[in-house]
Amino acid sequence: MSLQFCSFASGSSGNCYLIKNETSALLIDAGISGKRIFQALEDTSTPREMVKALLITHEHIDHVKSIPIVTKKLPNVSAYANEATWQSIERPVAPEKQRIFTTGEDFEIDDFLIRPFPIPHDAAEPVGFSVYCGGSQISIVTDVGYITDEIFDEIINADLLMLEANHEEEILLMGNYPYALKRRILGDNGHLSNVNAGRCLCSLVEARNKKRQVLLGHLSRENNDPSVAMLAVRNTLMENNIIPGNELKLEVVLRDCCSCIYEV
């Protein structure tokens, strides 16, 4: 049973991803308008009743904006988050629609096995997700200050990896953000830079050179650009004699529009 992935939006202004197989679908985060989410489901030929869960990485508004309408309008959806995240979400969600998982413990929804793993970010208890089905693995690692050993071990076998490339450090440092915000973004609980995303990929290839699709996402509107992110990551790879191609496929997903549908 193959897995499909689509990014509905990825960036500091809103995030939402779709993972599905032939019978069921999952949403990861709902940080864009309900209207855009429902249109994207239609555009990807995903019936509303096919969506079984909304997985929440953390409570920041660009990830939870439309939880109320999604849980209300999608008939079979329950929203999943850890307890600390639920306590920090300031959006009304019907109690019967709320589910609690424990970070680090696998759980199942239909044919999907889901693994929430801890990530370093300035939120209550932020997580990344790996979704397993039919021998395939899709992992999502965004809003992450740095790649911990635990994250690395989790994503080393991912067939499709959604990896943050949030900012180009020199653009951020020269920009208009307040000093405190710059320090937050650059800190261990902030966001992953283009170069550090590239270094993560170099380490993955060195540890296991397998066929994988990597999507760079969660780009900053002010401190990055798709062409800049791609160039910086490719340069980092090529400096380490790694040339993206058949084994390592590299693309950027955009902040404010749907990606194509990727199949693994």
Side-chain angles (χ1 to χ4, degrees):
M1 186 175 292
S2 65
L3 273 179
Q4 293 183 330
F5 176 89
C6 181
S7 171
F8 291 175
S10 183
S12 50
S13 54
N15 300 271
C16 184
Y17 309 111
L18 171 75
I19 295 176
K20 67 176 182 175
N21 58 24
E22 289 88 343
T23 59
S24 304
L26 309 171
L27 290 174
I28 295 89
D29 289 335
I32 56 177
S33 71
K35 180 179 180 180
R36 288 178 62 191
I37 292 172
F38 302 142
Q39 183 62 55
L41 289 174
E42 183 176 334
D43 292 343
T44 55
S45 300
T46 309
R48 292 190 183 192
E49 59 272 16
M50 187 177 178
V51 185
K52 303 299 176 63
L54 168 61
L55 311 178
I56 304 167
T57 59
H58 63 292
E59 71 274 12
H60 291 166
I61 193 65
D62 58 322
H63 296 261
V64 303
K65 176 181 179 180
S66 293
I67 291 178
I69 192 169
V70 167
T71 53
K72 183 178 180 180
K73 295 292 187 180
L74 298 183
N76 298 324
V77 162
S78 295
Y80 291 73
N82 56 46
E83 187 170 0
T85 298
W86 275 124
Q87 292 176 353
S88 301
I89 291 175
E90 299 178 353
R91 312 294 284 181
V93 179
E96 64 270 18
K97 289 283 191 173
Q98 297 182 25
R99 302 288 185 272
I100 297 175
F101 62 72
T102 300
T103 302
E105 293 186 6
D106 297 352
F107 60 97
E108 295 182 1
I109 299 173
D110 288 359
D111 294 318
F112 303 111
L113 185 144
I114 299 156
R115 179 171 299 155
F117 52 91
I119 61 173
H121 190 55
D122 57 351
E125 192 179 321
V127 299
F129 287 109
S130 287
V131 177
Y132 298 83
C133 182
S136 298
Q137 175 186 348
I138 294 175
S139 295
I140 297 172
V141 181
T142 66
D143 295 79
V144 57
Y146 68 102
I147 301 298
T148 65
D149 290 343
E150 185 171 359
I151 293 172
F152 186 83
D153 290 343
E154 175 57 36
I155 65 177
I156 194 169
N157 291 313
D159 300 291
L160 185 148
L161 173 62
M162 179 75 189
L163 181 65
E164 179 171 49
N166 176 257
H167 60 275
E168 182 66 18
E169 189 168 328
E170 290 186 5
I171 297 176
L172 173 64
L173 290 172
M174 296 297 290
N176 295 323
Y177 276 10
Y179 177 70
L181 180 55
K182 293 179 181 180
R183 284 184 57 85
R184 169 187 171 264
I185 293 170
L186 293 169
D188 283 350
N189 290 317
H191 291 276
L192 206 66
S193 70
N194 295 333
V195 169
N196 285 334
R199 289 171 177 165
C200 171
L201 296 182
C202 290
S203 297
L204 286 175
V205 172
E206 181 179 352
R208 184 173 183 205
N209 189 12
K210 59 162 284 179
K211 188 174 182 179
R212 68 178 91 231
Q213 174 76 60
V214 177
L215 305 177
L216 305 175
H218 207 288
L219 274 64
S220 167
R221 186 185 302 274
E222 293 80 10
N223 302 306
N224 212 350
D225 179 85
S227 60
V228 171
M230 178 63 83
L231 180 62
V233 173
R234 284 182 63 91
N235 284 347
T236 303
L237 290 168
M238 294 178 73
E239 286 168 1
N240 289 270
N241 299 314
I242 299 169
I243 301 175
N246 290 332
E247 292 300 301
L248 176 63
K249 294 183 178 180
L250 187 64
E251 295 184 41
V252 177
V253 296
L254 302 181
R255 290 186 298 267
D256 48 11
C257 63
C258 276
S259 71
C260 65
I261 296 176
Y262 299 90
E263 187 164 330
V264 297

